[in-house]
Amino acid sequence: MSYGGRLKVVLITGRSIKQGKSKDVGKFFDEYREAIAICEMNPMDMEALGIPEGGYIDVSSPYGSITVLAKPSPDIPSGVAFIPYGILVNTIIPPDTDSTGIPRSKGLEVWITPSAKHLPDLKFIVKLIGGV
Amino acid sequence: MRITFKPLTPFKVPVDLSPITPDNLEGMDIGEVKSLQIWVGSKRKRIDEIFLVELSEDGREEIAIVFMGDFSKARGIGSGMSRGSITVKGSGGLRVGEYMRGGTIVVEGDVDHWLGMAMHGGSIYVKGAAGSYVGAPPKGSSKGMRGGSIIIDGDAGECIGAYMRDGSIEVKGNVGLFPGLRMLGGTIVVYGNCMGRAAARMKDGRVIILGSVGSILPTFQIEEIRPSVRGVRERLEGPFYVFQGDLSEDGRGRLFVSKPSNPELAFFEKLL
Amino acid sequence: MKDVLLIRNGVVYDPMNGVEGEVMDIAIKDGVIVEAIDERKAKVIDASGMLVMPGGVDIHSHIAGSKSNIGRLLRPEDHRRSYEPKTALTCSGVGHSVPSTKTTGYRYARMGYTTVFEAASPPLKQKHTWEELNDIPIIDKAALTVMGNNWFIMDFISQGRIEDAAIYAAWLLKATKGYGIKIVNPGGVEAWGWGGNVYDLDELVPYFSITPREIVEGLCKINSMLNLPHTIHVHVNRLGMPNNCWTTLRTAHTVRKAFGGGKLLIHITHCQFSGYAGSTWTTLRSGAEYIAKYVNSVDHVSLDMGQVVFTDTTTMTGDGPLEFRLFQSLAGKWANADVEVETGAGVVPIRYSRRSYVGTIQWAVGLELALLVNDPWKIVLTTDHPNGGPFTAYPRVISWLMSSKARSKVMERVNRRALKYTALPSIDREYTFTDIAIVTRASPARLLGLKRKGHLGVGADADIAIYDLDPRKVDPSVDYRRVRRALRRAAYTIKGGRIVIVKGEVVEDIPGRSIWVDVDIPEDEIEELLREVKPRFEEFYTVKLRNYPVPEDMILNPSPIKINPSI
Amino acid sequence: MIIPSIVVEEKAAEYTMEDVICPFCGCCCDDIIVSVKDGRIIDVKNACILGASKFLHIDDGRLLKPKIGRFESAREVSLSEAIETVVGLLKDSCYPLLYGWACTSCEAILLGLDLAEILGGAIDNTSIVCHGPTILAGQDLGLITATLGQVKNRADLIVFWGCNPLEAHPRHIARYSVSSRGRFISGRRDRKVVVVDVRRTNTARIADLFIEVKPGYDYEVLSALKMLVKDLDLEVDEVGGIPVSKLEELADMMVEAKFGALFFGTGLTMSRGRDKNIEAAIELVRYLNFKTKFVLIPMRGHFNVTGANEAFTWRTGYPVSIDFSQGYPRYLPGETTAVDILRRGECDLFFVVASDPVSHMPRRAVEHLSNIPVITLDPKLTPTVYLSDIAIPVAYTGIEVDGSVYRMDTVPLRMRKIVDPPPGILPDTEILRMILEKVRGEYS
C-alpha cells in the first residue's frame, strides 16, 4: 500500500554474500557500509514511490529510522523489503524478544519513503549508541 | 499484619524477591525480616540494606506484603506462596507468582514475562500489562498452570496459558500470538484482539476470543455457531464461531471466536 | 608427605586377592599401593571400623559425548530439580539424570567410584567425547568405540577380508583413542538410516551383504586377533522388545559356536533390557531365568545388569530405532542424531513407574539376573546410566542385592500382576560384602582387563573407597538403610594416592587419567590399508581422513595401554 | 599416517597447508588449501568467496594494541595495564554479562564459563540471536537430526526452508547437500530439491520446486503440511499464500522420499512465531518419520556457534543464556537471555569475546552500553571495539591459533594454526587465562 509517498512493507533481514564477504575485511570500510546500507525492493514498489535506481530511501519503524540505498530486485515480492544484517537495520528492530531471547528481525512492518539524506557514517551511529 | 518494602535506591541489577512471601515471613518479627538475606545480582544482601521495611498491624492475622516502587528488575515475587497477600504498587518484574499455590497477588503496574509460571492455585490480578508466557511452565517442562486464576487488565504477550491444565486466565486487553499453545485444559478469555494462531496445538480446554483473531490455523475445524458461551465468571454474549482442534494433535479443545469482531471468517459458515 | 599415605585398621574387602573382611593396613606411595612405608612420614587415615574396598569401576555408563549432551540439552526440567552450587573447591553443576561434566565426576567420587567407562562413542564424534571426558574431574575414564554398524568394517567382513577389518578396527581405536569394540544393535542402526531396523540375527542388513550374526562373529574374531583387553561389548538386536531374551542367548551362543569356550568372548551389556520373555508388552515376562541358566552353564559370557530404578530419567543409546519406538509409545520428547557411516543415536526421557506392569517387570529382571547368575565374577552392577536410572542410584541397587527385606519392601508397592510373572519374590539370595566388592569393583576391572584397578594388591593404583560402615557389626540384610546411606557418601575416596573425598565432600579437585588402548600394528600396514580406503572414506564421510582422528594433544593426562596383537 | 597430521610442505618461508578447516560459517569445510609466504597467507584454494575473504583479509582493519577509552579518546596501553584494568572492573561488578563466544574455540568458551561462574555473572552466546529458537524448540520437543554425511549418502529429497545457502553457506550445496555424492546417491540427478522462502533467492533457482510463502506465515504452512502428512483434510484452499494443491504436492514428495532432509535457517527462527515455527517443523518431521525417514538440520551461522552450545551444555546443562548469579547455572528464556538483560538494563558490565553485538543486536537493547563499562576481546576493529572502554586484540582462532570447533551438525573438528599472529598478540585463551588467574586471586 502506498499513500502520500509512503509505503508500508514487511521487512526481512538476512545474510547477503557481500555482507558476509566484507564483514571480515573490516566493518569501518566503505565496502562493508555499502553492503549493509542497501534495501532490496520489488521494482514495482520502487516505481510506485518514484524512487530511481540508486536512490536513497528512509526506512522507519517505531524504534527509529535509517537511510539506505534502494536496489530493485524482481525476486522480492511486492510489499516486502530486504536489508542485510548489520548495525543499520538493527537501529529499527524492536528489542523485545517475547521471552524467546531473539528479537523479531524478520517480518517487521516498516514504512519506506524517498530520502534526501545520505548514507550515514557508521562511526557516528556507534557513538550514538555509546552515549557521546 | 502488613509489611511494606520500599527500595532505598532503584535496583540496578536483578533482585530475587522469592524469599519474601507471607509463608516465609510468618512468625517473624521485624528484626528477623530485616535480617533475611536475598540475592541482589551475584551478592547476598540483608533486606534492610536495600529496603526500608515497615511493619504495621491492621488487626488481621493474615500477612499482607506491600512492595512500593519500581520492581521491574525483580524476580519471583510471591514465589510458591500459599496464603496471605502481596500487593505491588508499581511494576512487578519477572516470574511474579511462580509456583503459587494460594493467596492473592495484586500488581498495580505492569509485569514482565512468566507471570504465574506453573501456578497451582490462588489468584493474580495485574492492573497493567503482562509479558509473554503467562501461566506457562518453565522451559522444557510440560507441567503448566494447574489451577487458580489470573486477570490482566492490560495487554499480554505471546503464548499465554501455554501447556495450561486447569484454572483460568482473563486478559482485558490484546494478546500476542499463540494464546493457549499446547493447552490441555482450563479456560482462557481474551477480551481484546489476538495477533493470531490462537490455541495452536491445543489438546483440550477452552480459548475464548472476543476481539479479532487474525486468522484461524488450518488445523482447526468449524463446528457450530453459538449465541453465547460461559466465560470464567460470567456468560459472554456472542455469537461465537466454535472451532475444534488442534486436529493435528487429535485435540478436542474448543476455540470460541466472536463472530461480530471477525467478519473475514464468514466463509467458515459455508462449511457448516 | 602428601604422596605417602597409610590406611590403618580398615575392614578390607579385596576379592581379587582373596581378602574378605580382614582388618589390615594399606600403604600407598606415589599413587600406587606398596608393601610398606615409613609410618612416621605418612599421613595416616584411621579406618578402624570402616569398610575399605578398591575404588569402584563402572563398566558401562553414558557420561560424555554427543548423545549425553543431547540429553542435557533436551532436559532443562531435569536440571532445575537437581543442582549443586559452586564451592571454594568445586564448580557448580546441574542434572538429576544427565548431570553436567563436573558434577558427574564429583558424584562418582562421592560414591567411591574412581574409574568410569563411557559406553559408546561414535568415532566421528569421539573428539567431542574426549572434550567432555577431559572436563570430568577426579575419575579415570575411557570410551568404547562403536563399530557394529561401521560401513568399512561391514564391507571388509562381508568380503572375507577379516585381517583388513582388524587393521581398520585397530586404526579406529588408535585414531579415536578408544578402549574397546562396542557393538550397538548390529546392522539395525544402519537400517535405521532408512527408517528401518533388523529383527533377527540372520536378517540381511539393507544394501549390505551381511547379517548381524556375521558382524558379531567378525568383530569377536577381530577382538581376539587384536588381543584387546576387553571382549566385544554388545548391545544386542531387538533390545527393549518383548521376547528378546532368545535373541540375546543366540547372540551369546553364536560366538561360542564359532570360537569355542574356555575364555571370555562376549560382554552382553545392560542385559536387563534384553532379558524379556512373553510375546507382547501386555504379556511381558521375565526372561532372566533363561539367561542366567545359560550363563551359569558356560564360561564365555559376562553381563552387566542395566538395572531399572523407579525414577524420572533419560534414555539414550546409539540404537536409533529403539528410541523411535520408545517415542511412539511415550509421545513426549524425542531426539535423534544419526552419524554418517557409523551409527545413530536417540534420546527419550522416561519415568519408570512402580505401578506400571512393564516397569515392574523391568525392575525385577535386572535383580533376577544378578541374583540367579551364580558366579558374581560374571556380572557387573550398572544401571546403564542414565537409561535404567542415574548412577547415583547404585547404593539403592546394592541395598536390593544385599537384602531380601529391602526387595520385599519395594515389592509391596509395585504392580501386583507383574510380580506374578517374575521369579524375584521366590529368590532369597543375598549378596555379601565380598559379592558387592566383586560386582562393583573386581569383576568390571577384570572384565575390562584393567590390571591395576579393582584390587588392593601391591602395585595396584591407589584408588580406594572407605565407607563409614563396619561390616562386622552391620547386618546388611536387616540394616540395609545404613548400608545404602554409607555407600552414598564415602568417608574417604582416594584417587591415585590423593585424598579427594572426605565425608562425602570434595576436598581436592584433581583431573583423572584418560585411558585407551594403543594397538601395536606396524605403521606401514595401516598406511597401506588407509591408502586403499581413502577415496571411499572421503566419498562417504564429510570430513577428510586427515581431520578424522583425535589428536593426542586434545587429551588431558593421557594414559594409553600398549597392546600387542596377534596378527 | 596413523594419526595423520596436517602436512606442512616447508620451503624456507613458504609453505602450503592442506585440509585446513575454514573458520567462516557453520559448514566448517575441511578441505581448504592455504599457501603462506613470509608469514602471510597469499593464496587460498577450495574455499568459497566468504571463507577466502576471511583468510586473505586477516591483516586488514586489525586491532593491534590494547586500548583504554571509548571512540576517539582511546589510548594505547600495555597488555598488563589493560588486564589490570579489566580485573579491577570485573571485581567491582555485581552482575556482569559475558557475551559472544561463537567465533572462538571451545577451549576459550570453557574459560569464559569459568570466569562467569566465579564472577556470578550471566553468560550468553550469539546463537541466542540466530538459532536460539531452534534450541528452545529442541528443549520442548527434541531435534531429529543427522550428520551431513547421512544427507550426502542417502537423501533423495532436500528441502531448504527459510535459508539461502548459496549466499550464506556457499559450499553447502556441493559438499553436503544438493549435488554431493555418496554411497547410495550419485549426485544432483538422484535428488529432488525444494526451496521454501519469502523471496526467490539464488538457491530457489536451483530447486525443482519453489514455494513462495507470505512473510510470517511459515507456521501456518508447516501446520497444514502436518495435516496433509497425517492424511487429514484441510478446510481452506490456500495457506500462507500457497494453494493447498501445491502443499499436497510437497507433502507427497516428503512422504515418498526414502530419506528426506529439511534444512532451515533464520527465515524460520527469526520470523513471526520464532521458536514455535521450529516446533512446527520438528512436529512435521516427527510425523514424517512414521512414514519414511526424515531429519532436520539447522543451518548454523558462525563456524563455532554449535560448539558454543555444546560446551555450554556439557558444563552447565543449558546451551545458552546461563545465569550464575546464585552460584549455580540457571536458565530461562526472556530472563537470562542477553538481549533481554540489556533491554532491561540489568547488567553492570559487558564483556564481549569474539562478537560484535553493537552491530548485531537491536539498538534499543545495546543503548544500555552507554551506562556501563564495556570490555572486548577481538582480533578486529569492530563497532563494539570502537565503543569499548577496554579492548584487547587477540589472535584469529583457526588461522593463528589451534582450537576445537563443532560443525553445524555437531561434528567436532580440530582447527590448526596456519600462521603466527602479529607480534605481541596472544590467543584469547591466553588472555582469558590471565584474567581468570587474577580474578581467582581476588575472589579466594
Side-chain angles (χ1 to χ4, degrees):
Chain A
M1 272 178 291
S2 147
Y3 26 129
R6 292 211 304 168
L7 180 70
K8 192 175 174 187
V9 298
V10 175
L11 175 69
I12 306 290
T13 68
R15 208 175 271 313
S16 78
I17 202 145
K18 263 181 99 179
Q19 174 258 350
K21 181 169 166 278
S22 57
K23 90 183 171 67
D24 278 305
V25 175
K27 285 191 176 163
F28 289 121
F29 289 8
D30 282 350
E31 198 183 333
Y32 178 69
R33 187 176 70 164
E34 277 158 23
I36 63 163
I38 204 159
C39 176
E40 289 184 38
M41 296 174 68
N42 189 287
M44 312 253 277
D45 287 351
M46 285 179 66
E47 208 174 308
L49 278 173
I51 307 164
E53 195 175 333
Y56 292 116
I57 50 171
D58 285 336
V59 185
S60 324
S61 79
Y63 302 90
S65 169
I66 53 171
T67 306
V68 292
L69 196 77
K71 181 185 164 195
S73 164
D75 298 331
I76 307 271
S78 181
V80 176
F82 173 83
I83 304 180
Y85 294 145
I87 192 164
L88 280 176
V89 77
N90 275 314
T91 305
I92 58 173
I93 298 287
D96 191 14
T97 73
D98 298 311
S99 204
T100 60
I102 184 171
R104 213 171 87 202
S105 306
K106 291 181 200 275
L108 179 72
E109 285 188 346
V110 296
W111 292 93
I112 289 184
T113 48
S115 173
K117 290 185 223 145
H118 288 288
L119 290 192
D121 177 25
L122 296 191
K123 282 198 169 168
F124 177 71
I125 295 181
V126 181
K127 282 182 186 167
L128 283 181
I129 294 172
V132 168
Chain B
M1 193 167 69
R2 194 178 136 105
I3 311 175
T4 310
F5 296 84
K6 253 189 231 165
L8 297 171
T9 53
F11 300 146
K12 287 211 164 67
V13 293
V15 177
D16 185 355
L17 295 181
S18 58
I20 310 182
T21 59
D23 304 58
N24 284 354
L25 300 191
E26 198 169 82
M28 285 189 182
D29 62 32
I30 181 94
E32 286 169 317
V33 172
K34 281 181 174 173
S35 62
L36 264 180
Q37 295 218 324
I38 58 169
W39 287 101
V40 177
S42 60
K43 308 273 189 285
R44 292 288 269 170
K45 295 224 165 125
R46 278 169 59 100
I47 280 189
D48 55 3
E49 284 178 84
I50 42 172
F51 288 113
L52 182 68
V53 186
E54 278 167 7
L55 196 146
S56 58
E57 282 301 337
D58 54 3
R60 298 220 309 238
E61 202 170 299
E62 202 184 68
I63 293 179
I65 292 172
V66 182
F67 290 111
M68 307 265 284
D70 176 17
F71 288 82
S72 56
K73 291 190 173 100
R75 308 282 195 265
I77 289 179
S79 173
M81 71 190 263
S82 66
R83 53 188 180 270
S85 74
I86 292 182
T87 308
V88 185
K89 297 195 182 281
S91 297
L94 286 145
R95 294 193 268 114
V96 172
E98 58 171 3
Y99 306 113
M100 185 172 174
R101 297 183 165 272
T104 50
I105 295 178
V106 178
V107 183
E108 298 191 344
D110 299 343
V111 294
D112 215 322
H113 307 308
W114 305 100
L115 173 73
M117 181 167 92
M119 114 186 226
H120 290 239
S123 65
I124 300 179
Y125 176 32
V126 176
K127 294 187 180 168
S132 299
Y133 290 96
V134 172
K139 196 73 202 171
S141 163
S142 55
K143 298 191 172 110
M145 181 166 170
R146 258 186 271 179
S149 76
I150 297 177
I151 301 170
I152 298 160
D153 275 357
D155 298 343
E158 288 192 356
C159 303
I160 64 164
Y163 290 99
M164 179 169 177
R165 292 177 182 216
D166 205 349
S168 67
I169 299 176
E170 290 168 272
V171 182
K172 299 282 159 64
N174 306 322
V175 298
L177 295 167
F178 299 108
L181 177 74
R182 289 174 194 279
M183 190 170 173
L184 300 157
T187 307
I188 296 176
V189 184
V190 177
Y191 289 86
N193 305 326
C194 157
M195 295 257 289
R197 300 176 186 165
R201 306 285 190 256
M202 90 188 302
K203 281 238 166 103
D204 209 339
R206 294 158 10 107
V207 177
I208 304 162
I209 293 170
L210 285 95
S212 75
V213 288
S215 63
I216 298 292
L217 282 171
T219 49
F220 279 77
Q221 143 187 313
I222 188 145
E223 219 167 44
E224 55 175 325
I225 298 176
R226 265 194 222 170
S228 68
V229 296
R230 178 170 46 85
V232 177
R233 277 160 296 131
E234 60 201 332
R235 250 202 118 69
L236 301 166
E237 290 307 319
F240 291 93
Y241 295 117
V242 183
F243 294 91
Q244 192 203 352
D246 183 309
L247 299 177
S248 68
E249 293 284 325
D250 307 319
R252 286 172 287 112
R254 292 284 186 281
L255 170 62
F256 302 89
V257 176
S258 156
K259 182 176 166 183
S261 312
N262 293 281
E264 76 283 3
L265 299 182
F267 73 94
F268 276 109
E269 288 174 36
K270 283 183 288 182
L271 300 169
L272 283 170
Chain C
M1 172 97 183
K2 240 184 177 173
D3 296 334
V4 188
L5 204 58
L6 183 71
I7 301 167
R8 183 168 278 160
N9 288 335
V11 185
V12 178
Y13 282 84
D14 179 12
M16 226 183 268
N17 294 307
V19 179
E20 292 191 30
E22 278 173 47
V23 175
M24 56 196 278
D25 294 352
I26 295 168
I28 297 161
K29 197 174 173 209
D30 298 331
V32 291
I33 294 173
V34 292
E35 198 78 56
I37 42 158
D38 183 348
E39 288 188 22
R40 284 166 305 172
K41 289 189 183 151
K43 182 177 166 59
V44 177
I45 294 176
D46 179 14
S48 39
M50 290 192 189
L51 169 66
V52 178
M53 295 200 280
V57 178
D58 199 336
I59 198 170
H60 187 107
S61 178
H62 299 273
I63 52 170
S66 171
K67 70 183 151 350
S68 301
N69 230 22
I70 294 170
R72 294 187 190 108
L73 187 142
L74 195 62
R75 304 220 56 199
E77 75 280 18
D78 177 85
H79 309 334
R80 267 187 214 100
R81 61 187 259 221
S82 172
Y83 56 82
E84 296 184 15
K86 71 166 184 220
T87 68
L89 281 173
T90 60
C91 290
S92 61
V94 296
H96 166 71
S97 65
V98 274
S100 51
T101 45
K102 297 280 185 190
T103 313
T104 302
Y106 302 144
R107 286 187 185 165
Y108 262 117
R110 275 186 204 131
M111 295 195 314
Y113 269 71
T114 49
T115 307
V116 180
F117 274 57
E118 158 58 37
S121 176
L124 181 65
K125 291 186 169 178
Q126 203 134 326
K127 290 186 203 83
H128 182 169
T129 308
W130 276 115
E131 279 201 279
E132 285 194 24
L133 289 175
N134 283 343
D135 213 39
I136 295 179
I138 301 179
I139 54 175
D140 287 348
K141 53 251 161 173
L144 300 174
T145 301
V146 174
M147 298 194 195
N149 293 279
N150 188 302
W151 289 0
F152 291 96
I153 303 258
M154 289 196 292
D155 284 343
F156 281 134
I157 294 177
S158 69
Q159 291 158 8
R161 296 170 62 187
I162 194 80
E163 283 226 349
D164 288 335
I167 295 172
Y168 191 80
W171 173 72
L172 273 183
L173 289 174
K174 279 171 97 86
T176 62
K177 314 289 179 281
Y179 189 87
I181 296 176
K182 172 76 186 286
I183 303 171
V184 179
N185 186 3
V189 187
E190 164 51 31
W192 175 239
W194 302 110
N197 199 354
V198 296
Y199 298 94
D200 188 87
L201 271 180
D202 296 312
E203 190 178 330
L204 272 178
V205 181
Y207 304 103
F208 286 82
S209 38
I210 198 167
T211 61
R213 186 191 300 280
E214 288 160 352
I215 296 172
V216 173
E217 287 183 5
L219 282 166
C220 187
K221 175 100 180 97
I222 290 167
N223 204 85
S224 66
M225 286 163 83
L226 297 180
N227 268 339
L228 295 180
H230 183 37
T231 59
I232 48 170
H233 194 102
V234 184
H235 160 137
V236 297
N237 300 107
R238 302 189 76 241
L239 189 118
M241 290 185 210
N243 223 14
N244 59 10
C245 66
W246 314 112
T247 312
T248 309
L249 290 174
R250 287 167 57 214
T251 307
H253 198 60
T254 191
V255 292
R256 184 184 174 87
K257 273 200 302 204
F259 309 109
K263 63 168 186 167
L264 283 171
L265 291 172
I266 187 168
H267 180 82
I268 306 277
T269 192
H270 39 70
C271 194
Q272 175 275 128
F273 289 110
S274 46
Y276 310 139
S279 52
T280 63
W281 285 114
T282 44
T283 58
L284 194 74
R285 308 280 185 269
S286 164
E289 279 177 273
Y290 310 113
I291 291 177
K293 205 168 150 198
Y294 179 76
V295 172
N296 285 336
S297 69
V298 296
D299 51 9
H300 71 291
V301 187
S302 60
L303 308 176
D304 66 81
M305 289 165 71
Q307 176 62 35
V308 154
V309 180
F310 299 120
T311 184
D312 184 341
T313 189
T314 312
T315 65
M316 55 177 67
T317 164
D319 195 346
L322 162 74
E323 294 291 1
F324 179 62
R325 232 174 21 249
L326 203 53
F327 156 66
Q328 281 177 295
S329 62
L330 298 173
K333 301 182 189 186
W334 167 49
N336 177 74
D338 294 356
V339 182
E340 62 206 52
V341 189
E342 294 171 353
T343 182
V347 181
V348 170
I350 195 168
R351 181 171 189 93
Y352 292 110
S353 158
R354 244 193 332 248
R355 294 271 163 228
S356 114
Y357 177 78
V358 173
T360 300
I361 296 270
Q362 290 183 305
W363 174 77
V365 170
L367 291 174
E368 284 179 28
L369 283 169
L371 296 165
L372 294 174
V373 170
N374 296 329
D375 180 1
W377 290 97
K378 286 181 179 169
I379 194 153
V380 179
L381 186 152
T382 65
T383 58
D384 187 14
H385 165 82
N387 285 306
F391 62 82
T392 43
Y394 288 177
R396 271 173 89 185
V397 180
I398 290 172
S399 70
W400 292 331
L401 291 178
M402 294 192 91
S403 163
S404 70
K405 190 176 151 201
R407 298 197 289 269
S408 314
K409 267 277 198 243
V410 178
M411 281 191 272
E412 281 166 20
R413 302 174 64 206
V414 297
N415 185 296
R416 291 265 141 214
R417 189 169 73 86
L419 219 46
K420 278 193 284 188
Y421 299 110
T422 72
L424 194 63
S426 63
I427 302 174
D428 46 20
R429 180 175 169 199
E430 290 178 337
Y431 270 40
T432 62
F433 281 107
T434 301
D435 292 339
I436 291 298
I438 292 171
V439 298
T440 58
R441 278 102 171 130
S443 162
R446 179 176 284 182
L447 294 175
L448 288 165
L450 294 167
K451 300 221 159 53
R452 293 155 59 112
K453 306 268 181 209
H455 71 105
L456 298 172
V458 169
D461 286 341
D463 298 349
I464 302 168
I466 305 174
Y467 301 101
D468 188 6
L469 181 75
D470 192 338
R472 296 164 305 181
K473 292 190 182 141
V474 175
D475 179 0
S477 168
V478 183
D479 217 353
Y480 60 89
R481 286 201 184 89
R482 179 85 205 279
V483 175
R484 198 164 62 196
R485 208 163 47 233
L487 295 184
R488 273 191 192 133
R489 292 160 61 87
Y492 296 92
T493 302
I494 293 150
K495 169 71 194 36
R498 313 284 284 254
I499 302 173
V500 288
I501 301 285
V502 174
K503 288 191 179 152
E505 293 307 325
V506 179
V507 292
E508 191 182 2
D509 190 352
I510 53 169
R513 273 185 292 194
S514 306
I515 307 170
W516 72 85
V517 297
D518 184 2
V519 188
D520 195 17
I521 295 219
E523 292 206 5
D524 52 335
E525 276 185 40
I526 293 186
E527 217 159 297
E528 196 190 316
L529 183 72
L530 288 184
R531 235 192 314 277
E532 185 209 319
V533 162
K534 191 169 190 254
R536 268 186 312 144
F537 187 99
E538 291 182 355
E539 186 187 341
F540 298 164
Y541 278 103
T542 49
V543 298
K544 298 288 243 177
L545 182 58
R546 207 177 260 161
N547 287 318
Y548 181 76
V550 181
E552 200 158 331
D553 67 355
M554 273 187 81
I555 295 178
L556 202 65
N557 280 351
S559 178
I561 298 175
K562 270 258 183 252
I563 301 292
N564 287 315
S566 44
I567 40 170
Chain D
M1 184 110 186
I2 298 167
I3 302 156
S5 57
I6 303 281
V7 170
V8 180
E9 209 185 282
E10 216 164 332
K11 298 182 221 146
E14 262 182 69
Y15 53 91
T16 298
M17 290 178 72
E18 289 179 358
D19 296 349
V20 169
I21 296 157
C22 174
F24 188 86
C25 77
C27 286
C28 295
C29 301
D30 72 336
D31 60 343
I32 315 293
I33 300 171
V34 180
S35 300
V36 179
K37 189 180 180 186
D38 299 326
R40 288 183 57 118
I41 294 172
I42 52 164
D43 190 30
V44 178
K45 291 203 183 69
N46 290 348
C48 67
I49 181 168
L50 301 171
S53 172
K54 177 153 184 184
F55 278 111
L56 293 169
H57 288 99
I58 55 165
D59 293 329
D60 297 348
R62 192 108 189 210
L63 179 66
L64 287 167
K65 282 269 170 7
K67 68 134 193 179
I68 292 185
R70 284 191 180 194
F71 312 122
E72 269 71 45
S73 66
R75 60 184 173 90
E76 284 186 1
V77 296
S78 68
L79 181 60
S80 58
E81 185 183 345
I83 286 182
E84 281 300 329
T85 320
V86 168
V87 172
L89 288 170
L90 289 175
K91 200 182 64 186
D92 291 340
S93 70
C94 176
Y95 191 64
L97 171 60
L98 287 69
Y99 180 79
W101 314 104
C103 287
T104 184
S105 61
C106 290
E107 290 84 344
I109 296 163
L110 290 175
L111 291 168
L113 288 162
D114 281 338
L115 189 61
E117 184 182 38
I118 293 173
L119 295 169
I123 181 165
D124 207 348
N125 59 59
T126 56
S127 71
I128 193 67
V129 294
C130 62
H131 270 283
T134 307
I135 292 161
L136 301 192
Q139 287 176 325
D140 273 338
L141 296 175
L143 288 176
I144 297 140
T145 177
T147 61
L148 292 164
Q150 285 287 78
V151 178
K152 168 170 143 162
N153 285 308
R154 297 181 207 258
D156 57 352
L157 173 67
I158 290 174
V159 182
F160 291 109
W161 198 305
C163 58
N164 184 10
L166 273 183
E167 302 218 23
H169 303 86
R171 296 185 72 211
H172 192 279
I173 302 272
R175 260 176 78 79
Y176 305 124
S177 54
V178 178
S179 49
S180 65
R181 296 153 53 98
R183 185 169 188 136
F184 306 108
I185 298 281
S186 59
R188 176 69 180 91
R189 68 177 183 282
D190 288 352
R191 290 197 173 97
K192 291 224 167 61
V193 177
V194 180
V195 170
V196 185
D197 212 315
V198 294
R199 57 186 174 120
R200 187 176 282 272
T201 58
N202 284 337
T203 313
R205 283 178 234 281
I206 59 162
D208 297 302
L209 176 66
F210 170 61
I211 293 182
E212 186 178 307
V213 39
K214 233 159 87 183
Y217 281 84
D218 305 86
Y219 188 88
E220 280 77 3
V221 175
L222 286 163
S223 301
L225 278 173
K226 188 178 158 194
M227 293 280 281
L228 294 172
V229 167
K230 288 188 84 175
D231 293 323
L232 295 167
D233 297 325
L234 291 174
E235 290 189 340
V236 286
D237 306 322
E238 184 202 277
V239 179
I242 307 162
V244 165
S245 59
K246 207 161 182 186
L247 289 177
E248 282 168 347
E249 189 189 342
L250 176 57
D252 287 346
M253 280 170 84
M254 286 174 150
V255 171
E256 282 158 19
K258 280 191 75 184
F259 185 111
L262 174 66
F263 290 98
F264 63 97
T266 50
L268 268 191
T269 63
M270 285 183 178
S271 60
R272 206 164 74 108
R274 288 172 280 198
D275 52 324
K276 272 69 73 181
N277 293 341
I278 315 301
E279 286 183 13
I282 294 172
E283 290 201 323
L284 172 65
V285 170
R286 279 193 194 210
Y287 278 94
L288 281 165
N289 272 293
F290 284 87
K291 305 202 163 183
T292 178
K293 173 85 181 183
F294 227 92
V295 299
L296 89 173
I297 303 177
M299 299 285 268
R300 307 301 299 267
H302 295 302
F303 66 91
N304 197 28
V305 68
T306 313
N309 296 142
E310 295 289 338
F312 271 53
T313 307
W314 79 61
R315 177 63 75 76
T316 70
Y318 307 110
V320 286
S321 312
I322 322 289
D323 178 329
F324 281 107
S325 65
Q326 301 191 6
Y328 63 94
R330 292 184 312 140
Y331 155 84
L332 192 66
E335 175 178 342
T336 60
T337 35
V339 178
D340 296 277
I341 291 175
L342 287 168
R343 174 178 62 86
R344 284 192 295 265
E346 287 176 338
C347 55
D348 58 358
L349 186 145
F350 195 47
F351 186 98
V352 186
V353 176
S355 174
D356 182 16
V358 171
S359 296
H360 295 289
M361 278 193 188
R363 176 158 158 196
R364 283 290 172 95
V366 283
E367 270 171 357
H368 179 54
L369 302 184
S370 62
N371 308 323
I372 57 171
V374 179
I375 301 162
T376 303
L377 311 188
D378 205 291
K380 269 197 175 353
L381 183 61
T382 63
T384 305
V385 167
Y386 186 54
L387 181 147
S388 296
D389 298 278
I390 306 177
I392 300 176
V394 294
Y396 269 105
T397 303
I399 299 179
E400 295 167 343
V401 55
D402 293 358
S404 82
V405 297
Y406 288 74
R407 200 168 69 184
M408 60 165 74
D409 56 348
T410 73
V411 168
L413 291 161
R414 181 79 178 163
M415 286 185 159
R416 288 295 184 199
K417 177 176 170 173
I418 304 164
V419 291
D420 284 327
I425 292 185
L426 298 173
D428 49 6
T429 43
E430 281 305 307
I431 308 276
L432 286 166
R433 221 168 262 136
M434 287 155 126
I435 294 173
L436 200 54
E437 212 163 277
K438 287 209 152 70
V439 169
R440 276 214 177 99
E442 296 281 350
Y443 274 72
S444 68

